[in-house]
Amino acid sequence: MEDSPAVVSYEDLASIEDEFEEVDAEIMRKQYALSTQIYAKRSQAVRKILNFWPLVVEQAPPEIDQWIQPHDSRIFAESLLNVEVRRPELDDGGAGNPRSISVKFEFKPNDDFEDTELEKTFSYRRARDGWTGLVSEPVKVHWKKGKDLTEGLTDGAVALFEARTKIGDMTATGLPEYTALKKKVDKWNGSNTSFFTWFGWVSQRRWVSAEESEKAVEEYKQGKERRKTRSETKEVEAEIAEAAEDDEEEDEFDDEAVEVHQMGEELAISFAEELWPSAIKFFTQAQEDEISEPDFEDDDDEEDDRDGDEPVDFRALVQDKGDKVRPRESTGGAALPNKKQKKK
Amino acid sequence: MEDSPAVVSYEDLASIEDEFEEVDAEIMRKQYALSTQIYAKRSQAVRKILNFWPLVVEQAPPEIDQWIQPHDSRIFAESLLNVEVRRPELDDGGAGNPRSISVKFEFKPNDDFEDTELEKTFSYRRARDGWTGLVSEPVKVHWKKGKDLTEGLTDGAVALFEARTKIGDMTATGLPEYTALKKKVDKWNGSNTSFFTWFGWVSQRRWVSAEESEKAVEEYKQGKERRKTRSETKEVEAEIAEAAEDDEEEDEFDDEAVEVHQMGEELAISFAEELWPSAIKFFTQAQEDEISEPDFEDDDDEEDDRDGDEPVDFRALVQDKGDKVRPRESTGGAALPNKKQKKK
């Protein structure tokens, strides 16, 4: 292989990518700072619109919609009061990672679970082997008797997480909770029975603790500095090679066998980057769709022998509550004419 | 319909959306300012990598890839030297619309066209009826004799645009150039024969001039102010209603019958927001793919009786040029280990 000085190395490219990533993070912080007040104003405004959030969720983009089963639709239509997305590490003047996400749902008292609030936090972490992504502690949904739509998956995920935490080994596989959850996951084999399974999601690969992440970020920053200053010596090369070897060992552990949700991270990002910023657009779409025939929730999931589980006419559910769904039109008709907004 | 004061109006929501839009524009400006230098550095670095851009384009996301036909792939593989995306209204300290986009391709001298540079500029405009989006003057591709991959569509689009400009009526349909182009568009009926047809694209709906846009933005700003100050009087309401009526008349003109490309705007946005910022990621993917079998360009377009037009083995084309494609690895192997970057 030629090694002419005119050829760039992966380090050069990685160093450029580092710089883009820093700009991205700065931009995310700036955007959050500039929009927080507007989101607060929006939250206040939409609280006055009956069924705002159920209608928004109904219009959710496919990345979200594909996870909403008919039973979930019914719960959202009947009980969803509010949705809130935050960047928890930026709140209260925090200078943490802008990629961490928190999604909170508020519900009316309902027949399915005891909770009136379910909040899931996704923390952006870096593993020692260079993997980066979101991880999240499983959130317990307090299902009423016989109502668990997740078929025990969320409870199982919570139980395993707690058992592992107790013995201080987040990769333990010898626990009875592990065996029990693995069996459940095998049974459903990737086909979720409910949107609420998401609350049990942990990671695309495995749990990464805050401590591991901090250490990994520190190592990564040192690597970045090395790339920037281009002061690589043979020792540094050897060190990198060694680290890469260590990584290979760590790489072997993958917790997929007990992961209850296949796209937990993508779903969180869709909530934060699509549904949340474009909620008014989705609501307006829902209003426009009302003119046409009501859609039936498409239901092509495999399980269909649950008690009376049939496609739900979401609009009928929402409209049962009266027709206050539509905001006052007054002079407003002209305010949003043909507003074809392009997707960002 | 109840009209309780607790119910919000469309204006309230529209006013909130206005505020988000202002923040978005500010953020786009900020991001451009912060990244321009890094993009310049990247351009310099990747010029040293043979076939960087052909490999990036080959890995383009589906929104772009679907428009690249086998003949186009061959041209990119053999002749594409550089790609550059700019926000032309922000360059040189400009404070224009950050949503306008310019995409420039540089080519080696080649057998297909005379141009070594093709640049298309997409201007973000607002029509008087509230429509917003990108519009673009058709760009002439100087095809060599018998080589026009677009089957006359780009030439036809340029000819009509020039004829309309000459008579000062951008919606004229009585021109022979209109009839000729309409016939060609009808013939291909939405199935493009070449990526290069994009250069003839004008608008999702119709041409909107800079003058019309300026006026419309002015009117829109006044509307925004009204929404903000909530000083709607009956007169204002009447005025809005009247404007809406005007709009309806204008709405009737749609230039679809002579539009040579169905998704010109989306394609421009994909170049600006996906291919351009993630070029290094796509290049790295292309490197990783090399380990596996070479892909054949999938070809399911209808037309297939062109001279010897067969699926192109893009990788073979690129590799013919020697194996300098792969950047020097040296210590770099560890620099990008398993870097699973989440999509933004």
Side-chain angles (χ1 to χ4, degrees), chain B residues 17 19 22 40 105 107 114 116 128 131 141 151 186 189 193 201 205 207 224 239 263 271 274 284 295-296 322 330:
Chain B
E17 291 287 73
E19 290 184 55
E22 276 164 32
F105 299 82
F107 296 96
E114 303 291 348
T116 53
R128 280 206 59 212
W131 176 91
V141 181
E151 306 283 350
D186 282 348
N189 195 26
T193 58
W201 182 81
R205 221 186 69 197
W207 174 255
K224 277 210 270 196
E239 197 183 298
M263 306 275 270
F271 262 90
E274 297 191 66
T284 309
D295 271 348
F296 282 79
S330 68

mmCIF file of all heavy atoms in Angstrom, chain B residues 17 19 22 40 105 107 114 116 128 131 141 151 186 189 193 201 205 207 224 239 263 271 274 284 295-296 322 330:
data_model
loop_
_atom_site.group_PDB
_atom_site.id
_atom_site.type_symbol
_atom_site.label_atom_id
_atom_site.label_comp_id
_atom_site.label_asym_id
_atom_site.label_seq_id
_atom_site.Cartn_x
_atom_site.Cartn_y
_atom_site.Cartn_z
ATOM 1 N N GLU B 17 -45.871 28.867 16.179
ATOM 2 C CA GLU B 17 -45.083 28.295 15.090
ATOM 3 C C GLU B 17 -44.148 29.342 14.469
ATOM 4 O O GLU B 17 -43.020 29.028 14.090
ATOM 5 C CB GLU B 17 -46.016 27.710 14.014
ATOM 6 C CG GLU B 17 -46.764 26.469 14.459
ATOM 7 C CD GLU B 17 -45.874 25.228 14.550
ATOM 8 O OE1 GLU B 17 -45.059 25.160 15.507
ATOM 9 O OE2 GLU B 17 -45.992 24.350 13.693
ATOM 10 N N GLU B 19 -42.715 31.714 16.040
ATOM 11 C CA GLU B 19 -41.555 31.856 16.926
ATOM 12 C C GLU B 19 -40.566 30.711 16.735
ATOM 13 O O GLU B 19 -39.353 30.917 16.714
ATOM 14 C CB GLU B 19 -42.010 31.917 18.389
ATOM 15 C CG GLU B 19 -42.728 33.213 18.732
ATOM 16 C CD GLU B 19 -43.078 33.299 20.216
ATOM 17 O OE1 GLU B 19 -42.167 33.169 21.045
ATOM 18 O OE2 GLU B 19 -44.278 33.468 20.542
ATOM 19 N N GLU B 22 -38.587 31.295 13.603
ATOM 20 C CA GLU B 22 -37.521 32.287 13.765
ATOM 21 C C GLU B 22 -36.299 31.667 14.443
ATOM 22 O O GLU B 22 -35.163 31.919 14.047
ATOM 23 C CB GLU B 22 -38.032 33.481 14.586
ATOM 24 C CG GLU B 22 -38.770 34.493 13.729
ATOM 25 C CD GLU B 22 -39.613 35.465 14.561
ATOM 26 O OE1 GLU B 22 -39.218 35.779 15.698
ATOM 27 O OE2 GLU B 22 -40.689 35.882 14.065
ATOM 28 N N ALA B 40 -14.590 23.604 4.874
ATOM 29 C CA ALA B 40 -13.463 23.965 4.005
ATOM 30 C C ALA B 40 -12.289 23.022 4.262
ATOM 31 O O ALA B 40 -11.644 22.532 3.328
ATOM 32 C CB ALA B 40 -13.057 25.417 4.253
ATOM 33 N N PHE B 105 -21.402 20.489 -8.627
ATOM 34 C CA PHE B 105 -20.678 19.269 -8.973
ATOM 35 C C PHE B 105 -19.521 19.647 -9.900
ATOM 36 O O PHE B 105 -19.731 20.412 -10.844
ATOM 37 C CB PHE B 105 -21.588 18.290 -9.726
ATOM 38 C CG PHE B 105 -22.785 17.823 -8.949
ATOM 39 C CD1 PHE B 105 -23.931 18.607 -8.867
ATOM 40 C CD2 PHE B 105 -22.772 16.590 -8.313
ATOM 41 C CE1 PHE B 105 -25.035 18.171 -8.160
ATOM 42 C CE2 PHE B 105 -23.880 16.143 -7.604
ATOM 43 C CZ PHE B 105 -25.017 16.934 -7.519
ATOM 44 N N PHE B 107 -16.709 17.993 -12.538
ATOM 45 C CA PHE B 107 -16.448 16.764 -13.301
ATOM 46 C C PHE B 107 -15.138 16.868 -14.064
ATOM 47 O O PHE B 107 -14.716 17.962 -14.455
ATOM 48 C CB PHE B 107 -17.573 16.526 -14.322
ATOM 49 C CG PHE B 107 -18.915 16.280 -13.703
ATOM 50 C CD1 PHE B 107 -19.829 17.322 -13.549
ATOM 51 C CD2 PHE B 107 -19.270 15.004 -13.268
ATOM 52 C CE1 PHE B 107 -21.075 17.094 -12.977
ATOM 53 C CE2 PHE B 107 -20.507 14.780 -12.691
ATOM 54 C CZ PHE B 107 -21.415 15.826 -12.541
ATOM 55 N N GLU B 114 -20.216 18.669 -22.020
ATOM 56 C CA GLU B 114 -19.091 19.593 -22.127
ATOM 57 C C GLU B 114 -18.739 20.219 -20.784
ATOM 58 O O GLU B 114 -17.630 20.717 -20.594
ATOM 59 C CB GLU B 114 -19.437 20.732 -23.112
ATOM 60 C CG GLU B 114 -19.840 20.290 -24.514
ATOM 61 C CD GLU B 114 -18.658 19.697 -25.288
ATOM 62 O OE1 GLU B 114 -17.511 19.842 -24.826
ATOM 63 O OE2 GLU B 114 -18.911 19.079 -26.350
ATOM 64 N N THR B 116 -17.655 21.044 -17.059
ATOM 65 C CA THR B 116 -16.826 20.474 -15.994
ATOM 66 C C THR B 116 -17.346 20.957 -14.641
ATOM 67 O O THR B 116 -16.843 20.566 -13.597
ATOM 68 C CB THR B 116 -15.349 20.877 -16.140
ATOM 69 O OG1 THR B 116 -15.278 22.301 -16.254
ATOM 70 C CG2 THR B 116 -14.752 20.247 -17.391
ATOM 71 N N ARG B 128 -47.547 34.630 -2.782
ATOM 72 C CA ARG B 128 -48.513 35.527 -2.148
ATOM 73 C C ARG B 128 -49.605 34.765 -1.402
ATOM 74 O O ARG B 128 -50.203 35.277 -0.465
ATOM 75 C CB ARG B 128 -49.151 36.460 -3.196
ATOM 76 C CG ARG B 128 -48.235 37.636 -3.534
ATOM 77 C CD ARG B 128 -49.063 38.817 -4.006
ATOM 78 N NE ARG B 128 -50.027 39.262 -3.010
ATOM 79 C CZ ARG B 128 -51.208 39.787 -3.277
ATOM 80 N NH1 ARG B 128 -51.584 39.913 -4.531
ATOM 81 N NH2 ARG B 128 -52.022 40.169 -2.308
ATOM 82 N N TRP B 131 -47.834 29.884 0.207
ATOM 83 C CA TRP B 131 -46.975 28.739 -0.094
ATOM 84 C C TRP B 131 -45.519 29.117 0.121
ATOM 85 O O TRP B 131 -45.105 30.217 -0.217
ATOM 86 C CB TRP B 131 -47.204 28.323 -1.556
ATOM 87 C CG TRP B 131 -46.304 27.211 -2.027
ATOM 88 C CD1 TRP B 131 -46.566 25.879 -1.970
ATOM 89 C CD2 TRP B 131 -45.009 27.339 -2.631
ATOM 90 N NE1 TRP B 131 -45.510 25.164 -2.501
ATOM 91 C CE2 TRP B 131 -44.540 26.043 -2.909
ATOM 92 C CE3 TRP B 131 -44.184 28.432 -2.958
ATOM 93 C CZ2 TRP B 131 -43.298 25.785 -3.499
ATOM 94 C CZ3 TRP B 131 -42.940 28.188 -3.544
ATOM 95 C CH2 TRP B 131 -42.514 26.878 -3.809
ATOM 96 N N VAL B 141 -27.488 21.550 -19.239
ATOM 97 C CA VAL B 141 -26.388 20.588 -19.327
ATOM 98 C C VAL B 141 -26.028 20.486 -20.804
ATOM 99 O O VAL B 141 -26.896 20.208 -21.636
ATOM 100 C CB VAL B 141 -26.825 19.201 -18.790
ATOM 101 C CG1 VAL B 141 -25.667 18.211 -18.872
ATOM 102 C CG2 VAL B 141 -27.348 19.320 -17.358
ATOM 103 N N GLU B 151 -33.218 12.787 -22.176
ATOM 104 C CA GLU B 151 -34.138 12.691 -23.317
ATOM 105 C C GLU B 151 -34.770 14.044 -23.638
ATOM 106 O O GLU B 151 -35.973 14.139 -23.901
ATOM 107 C CB GLU B 151 -35.237 11.649 -23.030
ATOM 108 C CG GLU B 151 -34.718 10.280 -22.630
ATOM 109 C CD GLU B 151 -34.204 9.460 -23.825
ATOM 110 O OE1 GLU B 151 -34.422 9.884 -24.982
ATOM 111 O OE2 GLU B 151 -33.572 8.413 -23.597
ATOM 112 N N ASP B 186 -45.164 14.387 -20.513
ATOM 113 C CA ASP B 186 -46.219 13.367 -20.611
ATOM 114 C C ASP B 186 -45.629 12.010 -20.976
ATOM 115 O O ASP B 186 -45.987 10.985 -20.419
ATOM 116 C CB ASP B 186 -47.247 13.748 -21.696
ATOM 117 C CG ASP B 186 -48.207 14.812 -21.197
ATOM 118 O OD1 ASP B 186 -48.205 15.074 -19.972
ATOM 119 O OD2 ASP B 186 -48.936 15.390 -22.027
ATOM 120 N N ASN B 189 -43.846 10.576 -18.066
ATOM 121 C CA ASN B 189 -44.852 10.297 -17.054
ATOM 122 C C ASN B 189 -44.270 10.014 -15.658
ATOM 123 O O ASN B 189 -44.617 9.030 -15.010
ATOM 124 C CB ASN B 189 -45.688 9.093 -17.530
ATOM 125 C CG ASN B 189 -46.953 8.962 -16.732
ATOM 126 O OD1 ASN B 189 -47.457 9.959 -16.187
ATOM 127 N ND2 ASN B 189 -47.472 7.746 -16.650
ATOM 128 N N THR B 193 -35.348 9.360 -16.549
ATOM 129 C CA THR B 193 -34.358 8.503 -17.200
ATOM 130 C C THR B 193 -32.964 8.777 -16.668
ATOM 131 O O THR B 193 -32.046 8.025 -16.939
ATOM 132 C CB THR B 193 -34.351 8.762 -18.716
ATOM 133 O OG1 THR B 193 -34.057 10.151 -18.934
ATOM 134 C CG2 THR B 193 -35.709 8.440 -19.318
ATOM 135 N N TRP B 201 -35.227 21.062 -12.984
ATOM 136 C CA TRP B 201 -36.341 21.277 -12.059
ATOM 137 C C TRP B 201 -36.564 22.764 -11.762
ATOM 138 O O TRP B 201 -35.608 23.525 -11.616
ATOM 139 C CB TRP B 201 -36.082 20.513 -10.758
ATOM 140 C CG TRP B 201 -37.182 20.636 -9.754
ATOM 141 C CD1 TRP B 201 -38.348 19.940 -9.730
ATOM 142 C CD2 TRP B 201 -37.218 21.513 -8.611
ATOM 143 N NE1 TRP B 201 -39.112 20.316 -8.648
ATOM 144 C CE2 TRP B 201 -38.440 21.287 -7.937
ATOM 145 C CE3 TRP B 201 -36.338 22.474 -8.093
ATOM 146 C CZ2 TRP B 201 -38.801 21.967 -6.780
ATOM 147 C CZ3 TRP B 201 -36.704 23.154 -6.937
ATOM 148 C CH2 TRP B 201 -37.919 22.901 -6.296
ATOM 149 N N ARG B 205 -44.534 23.678 -7.482
ATOM 150 C CA ARG B 205 -45.826 24.174 -7.945
ATOM 151 C C ARG B 205 -45.705 25.097 -9.147
ATOM 152 O O ARG B 205 -46.313 24.879 -10.170
ATOM 153 C CB ARG B 205 -46.532 24.896 -6.807
ATOM 154 C CG ARG B 205 -48.010 24.562 -6.777
ATOM 155 C CD ARG B 205 -48.726 25.374 -5.745
ATOM 156 N NE ARG B 205 -48.787 26.765 -6.103
ATOM 157 C CZ ARG B 205 -49.068 27.742 -5.242
ATOM 158 N NH1 ARG B 205 -49.268 27.464 -3.973
ATOM 159 N NH2 ARG B 205 -49.131 28.982 -5.636
ATOM 160 N N TRP B 207 -43.012 28.711 -10.689
ATOM 161 C CA TRP B 207 -41.942 29.672 -10.429
ATOM 162 C C TRP B 207 -42.468 30.803 -9.548
ATOM 163 O O TRP B 207 -43.568 31.310 -9.768
ATOM 164 C CB TRP B 207 -41.421 30.230 -11.750
ATOM 165 C CG TRP B 207 -40.415 31.321 -11.583
ATOM 166 C CD1 TRP B 207 -40.610 32.653 -11.783
ATOM 167 C CD2 TRP B 207 -39.068 31.163 -11.166
ATOM 168 N NE1 TRP B 207 -39.457 33.347 -11.514
ATOM 169 C CE2 TRP B 207 -38.488 32.460 -11.135
ATOM 170 C CE3 TRP B 207 -38.277 30.069 -10.811
ATOM 171 C CZ2 TRP B 207 -37.157 32.676 -10.756
ATOM 172 C CZ3 TRP B 207 -36.948 30.283 -10.444
ATOM 173 C CH2 TRP B 207 -36.409 31.573 -10.415
ATOM 174 N N LYS B 224 -47.822 38.396 10.995
ATOM 175 C CA LYS B 224 -47.204 37.900 12.222
ATOM 176 C C LYS B 224 -47.344 38.916 13.343
ATOM 177 O O LYS B 224 -47.668 38.585 14.473
ATOM 178 C CB LYS B 224 -45.708 37.637 11.983
ATOM 179 C CG LYS B 224 -45.412 36.306 11.367
ATOM 180 C CD LYS B 224 -44.048 35.783 11.795
ATOM 181 C CE LYS B 224 -42.946 36.232 10.860
ATOM 182 N NZ LYS B 224 -41.709 35.420 11.040
ATOM 183 N N GLU B 239 -59.844 42.082 5.940
ATOM 184 C CA GLU B 239 -58.662 42.160 5.094
ATOM 185 C C GLU B 239 -58.071 40.767 4.869
ATOM 186 O O GLU B 239 -57.707 40.386 3.767
ATOM 187 C CB GLU B 239 -57.642 43.037 5.825
ATOM 188 C CG GLU B 239 -56.529 43.569 4.973
ATOM 189 C CD GLU B 239 -55.571 44.342 5.865
ATOM 190 O OE1 GLU B 239 -56.004 45.363 6.465
ATOM 191 O OE2 GLU B 239 -54.426 43.900 5.993
ATOM 192 N N MET B 263 -39.417 15.376 -7.471
ATOM 193 C CA MET B 263 -39.004 15.610 -6.095
ATOM 194 C C MET B 263 -37.772 16.504 -6.008
ATOM 195 O O MET B 263 -36.900 16.283 -5.168
ATOM 196 C CB MET B 263 -38.700 14.261 -5.411
ATOM 197 C CG MET B 263 -39.822 13.251 -5.496
ATOM 198 S SD MET B 263 -41.011 13.484 -4.169
ATOM 199 C CE MET B 263 -40.280 12.413 -2.933
ATOM 200 N N PHE B 271 -29.491 16.518 -0.226
ATOM 201 C CA PHE B 271 -28.079 16.837 -0.459
ATOM 202 C C PHE B 271 -27.549 17.739 0.656
ATOM 203 O O PHE B 271 -26.464 17.520 1.176
ATOM 204 C CB PHE B 271 -27.891 17.529 -1.821
ATOM 205 C CG PHE B 271 -27.454 16.585 -2.900
ATOM 206 C CD1 PHE B 271 -28.386 15.920 -3.669
ATOM 207 C CD2 PHE B 271 -26.108 16.319 -3.124
ATOM 208 C CE1 PHE B 271 -27.999 15.009 -4.662
ATOM 209 C CE2 PHE B 271 -25.702 15.417 -4.111
ATOM 210 C CZ PHE B 271 -26.648 14.768 -4.877
ATOM 211 N N GLU B 274 -28.327 15.774 4.425
ATOM 212 C CA GLU B 274 -27.885 14.413 4.706
ATOM 213 C C GLU B 274 -26.533 14.110 4.070
ATOM 214 O O GLU B 274 -25.556 13.862 4.751
ATOM 215 C CB GLU B 274 -28.942 13.409 4.233
ATOM 216 C CG GLU B 274 -30.257 13.599 4.987
ATOM 217 C CD GLU B 274 -31.215 12.453 4.735
ATOM 218 O OE1 GLU B 274 -30.921 11.328 5.155
ATOM 219 O OE2 GLU B 274 -32.255 12.690 4.103
ATOM 220 N N THR B 284 -16.885 6.281 4.867
ATOM 221 C CA THR B 284 -16.405 5.207 5.746
ATOM 222 C C THR B 284 -17.226 3.946 5.526
ATOM 223 O O THR B 284 -16.690 2.839 5.475
ATOM 224 C CB THR B 284 -16.483 5.658 7.216
ATOM 225 O OG1 THR B 284 -15.851 6.933 7.338
ATOM 226 C CG2 THR B 284 -15.793 4.665 8.128
ATOM 227 N N ASP B 295 -21.740 -4.750 -4.642
ATOM 228 C CA ASP B 295 -23.163 -4.635 -4.977
ATOM 229 C C ASP B 295 -23.338 -4.301 -6.449
ATOM 230 O O ASP B 295 -22.523 -3.611 -7.032
ATOM 231 C CB ASP B 295 -23.780 -3.439 -4.220
ATOM 232 C CG ASP B 295 -24.296 -3.858 -2.889
ATOM 233 O OD1 ASP B 295 -24.395 -5.069 -2.652
ATOM 234 O OD2 ASP B 295 -24.585 -2.959 -2.084
ATOM 235 N N PHE B 296 -24.418 -4.753 -7.010
ATOM 236 C CA PHE B 296 -24.767 -4.241 -8.321
ATOM 237 C C PHE B 296 -25.827 -3.171 -8.136
ATOM 238 O O PHE B 296 -26.704 -3.308 -7.293
ATOM 239 C CB PHE B 296 -25.267 -5.350 -9.235
ATOM 240 C CG PHE B 296 -24.134 -6.154 -9.774
ATOM 241 C CD1 PHE B 296 -23.530 -7.132 -8.997
ATOM 242 C CD2 PHE B 296 -23.632 -5.885 -11.026
ATOM 243 C CE1 PHE B 296 -22.451 -7.844 -9.485
ATOM 244 C CE2 PHE B 296 -22.562 -6.599 -11.519
ATOM 245 C CZ PHE B 296 -21.966 -7.589 -10.747
ATOM 246 N N GLY B 322 -7.359 1.876 -9.781
ATOM 247 C CA GLY B 322 -6.286 1.527 -8.856
ATOM 248 C C GLY B 322 -6.825 1.439 -7.453
ATOM 249 O O GLY B 322 -7.997 1.722 -7.206
ATOM 250 N N SER B 330 -2.320 3.225 8.629
ATOM 251 C CA SER B 330 -1.304 3.455 9.674
ATOM 252 C C SER B 330 -1.897 3.249 11.067
ATOM 253 O O SER B 330 -2.472 2.216 11.354
ATOM 254 C CB SER B 330 -0.702 4.862 9.535
ATOM 255 O OG SER B 330 -1.672 5.835 9.848
#
